[in-house]
Amino acid sequence: MTTEPALPDTGSLNAERPADASTPDETSDPRHFRSPVSFVRRGSRLQGRRQQAWDELSDRFVIDVPRAEADTSVDPAYVFDAAAEFGRTAPLVVEIGSGLGEAVTHAAEQNPDKNYLAVEVYLPGLAQTLQRIGQKELTNVRVVQANAPEVLTTMLPAGSVDEVWVFFPDPWHKTRHHKRRMVKDEFAELVARVLVPGGIWRLATDWSDYAVQMREVLDASARFVNLHDGEQAGEDSPLTRVNREGLEKKAPVDDVDTRGGWAPRFAGRTLTSFENKAHQAGRLIFDLTYRKA
């Protein structure tokens, strides 16, 4: 995705920094989020070209968010004005957990008629995204270092987003950590809040059990309709392949996915280094696409 030497791939980024935050804890003010988040932030130092990109481009492309508490929080009184920020009115696409910015900057380059907001908690990932913005000379991307639930609850106006992307969020494999997974019932409600009527939510994961959880959550929601209901079922289902071939280090079982509902791979998502790493490891990619009802 980039010609810059010695850049860590998105896989390593996702391994140490899951995609974004989990759902809110019950506090005196539900707009504040004190629950365990679904990301782990290990380091935030910038060096070399990333530091240079931050110094040169952050004033223009990083949303200066007033904070409530932590450095990834959002003051509940702050509301993002996309038209003012981009200097135009255009469809808005929001990527939650944008990583190193491969997907969002590629899409922005291919679709100059759309505005893109990259939501990320990991500072080096944001700096790398700025570097890509500079390399591609983009003007239709903004980035924000912020907790996703707060972005969806108060920062973005209701009905202001045309598409939300959640690509390869951290799967939190251990059962006791499943509560940290991003795609849950409460998060689906937040996504529905910001989408325009008929807006699209695109998801992708390379772990079958998380894919099943995503499908369960969205199929159960009255706010969303699966655009590929019943498709890629039975012998055509990637879940059937995982079960029968014993992929993901699972014991093979003759379990056929009769439900399906998997979308074709989203053509607008460039093959990121992380997705390519999943392919090299022999994992299958599960795509899901839902429309706000």
Side-chain angles (χ1 to χ4, degrees):
M1 282 294 297
T2 178
T3 57
E4 294 301 319
L7 295 179
D9 64 29
T10 312
S12 63
L13 178 66
N14 278 268
E16 66 179 357
R17 195 278 319 144
D20 218 293
S22 69
T23 53
D25 210 10
E26 292 184 1
T27 66
S28 58
D29 185 345
R31 297 175 301 176
H32 289 269
F33 296 81
R34 303 170 186 264
S35 68
V37 293
S38 67
F39 58 86
V40 176
R41 299 174 64 210
R42 302 193 183 281
S44 59
R45 292 181 59 193
L46 299 181
Q47 297 179 337
R49 295 189 180 185
R50 287 180 174 174
Q51 184 65 62
Q52 181 181 357
W54 189 269
D55 293 341
E56 295 177 354
L57 300 174
S58 61
D59 285 347
R60 181 176 179 187
F61 294 104
V62 177
I63 305 300
D64 185 15
V65 177
R67 305 298 181 181
E69 296 173 354
D71 60 1
T72 59
S73 66
V74 179
D75 188 321
Y78 172 72
V79 178
F80 179 66
D81 185 341
E85 180 62 41
F86 288 98
R88 65 175 184 174
T89 299
L92 178 61
V93 179
V94 176
E95 183 178 13
I96 302 295
S98 53
L100 297 174
E102 292 171 284
V104 71
T105 55
H106 174 83
E109 184 178 32
Q110 297 298 309
N111 301 278
D113 58 325
K114 296 181 180 179
N115 295 332
Y116 291 84
L117 178 64
V119 180
E120 178 58 63
V121 295
Y122 190 59
L123 185 61
L126 292 171
Q128 186 63 54
T129 303
L130 291 180
Q131 189 173 336
R132 296 183 194 281
I133 289 172
Q135 290 170 347
K136 297 175 181 291
E137 299 182 346
L138 302 175
T139 60
N140 58 334
V141 183
R142 298 294 184 273
V143 305
V144 61
Q145 185 179 27
N147 220 6
E150 296 176 73
V151 171
L152 298 174
T153 301
T154 58
M155 175 177 154
L156 292 173
S160 64
V161 178
D162 290 84
E163 291 193 21
V164 171
W165 296 352
V166 177
F167 297 148
F168 307 103
D170 192 277
W172 291 102
H173 292 294
K174 294 181 180 179
T175 301
R176 69 176 184 271
H177 290 157
H178 284 185
K179 64 184 179 181
R180 294 181 178 269
R181 286 179 170 177
M182 183 183 350
V183 182
K184 296 184 289 189
D185 295 341
E186 300 91 338
F187 191 80
E189 287 298 309
L190 298 181
V191 173
R193 173 191 170 272
V194 302
L195 282 173
V196 300
I200 301 298
W201 187 4
R202 302 186 187 277
L203 308 94
T205 180
D206 55 323
W207 294 101
S208 60
D209 63 331
Y210 200 1
V212 169
Q213 177 176 323
M214 291 175 173
R215 184 179 64 178
E216 292 289 340
V217 167
L218 273 79
D219 281 356
S221 173
R223 309 293 298 276
F224 291 98
V225 175
N226 190 335
L227 294 184
H228 300 277
D229 187 38
E231 296 182 21
Q232 294 194 57
E235 300 300 323
D236 295 327
S237 169
L239 184 57
T240 300
R241 279 195 58 194
V242 170
N243 293 335
R244 285 184 170 172
E245 298 176 24
L247 304 180
E248 303 174 17
K249 299 182 179 180
K250 296 182 178 182
V253 293
D254 189 17
D255 190 358
V256 177
D257 171 31
T258 59
R259 184 168 168 181
W262 312 112
R265 185 186 183 280
F266 174 42
R269 185 179 73 244
T270 189
L271 183 63
T272 65
S273 50
F274 177 73
E275 185 173 353
N276 189 53
K277 185 177 180 180
H279 284 301
Q280 292 174 352
R283 296 194 297 273
L284 303 182
I285 307 301
F286 295 79
D287 274 78
L288 290 161
T289 306
Y290 287 77
R291 182 182 67 237
K292 180 179 175 180

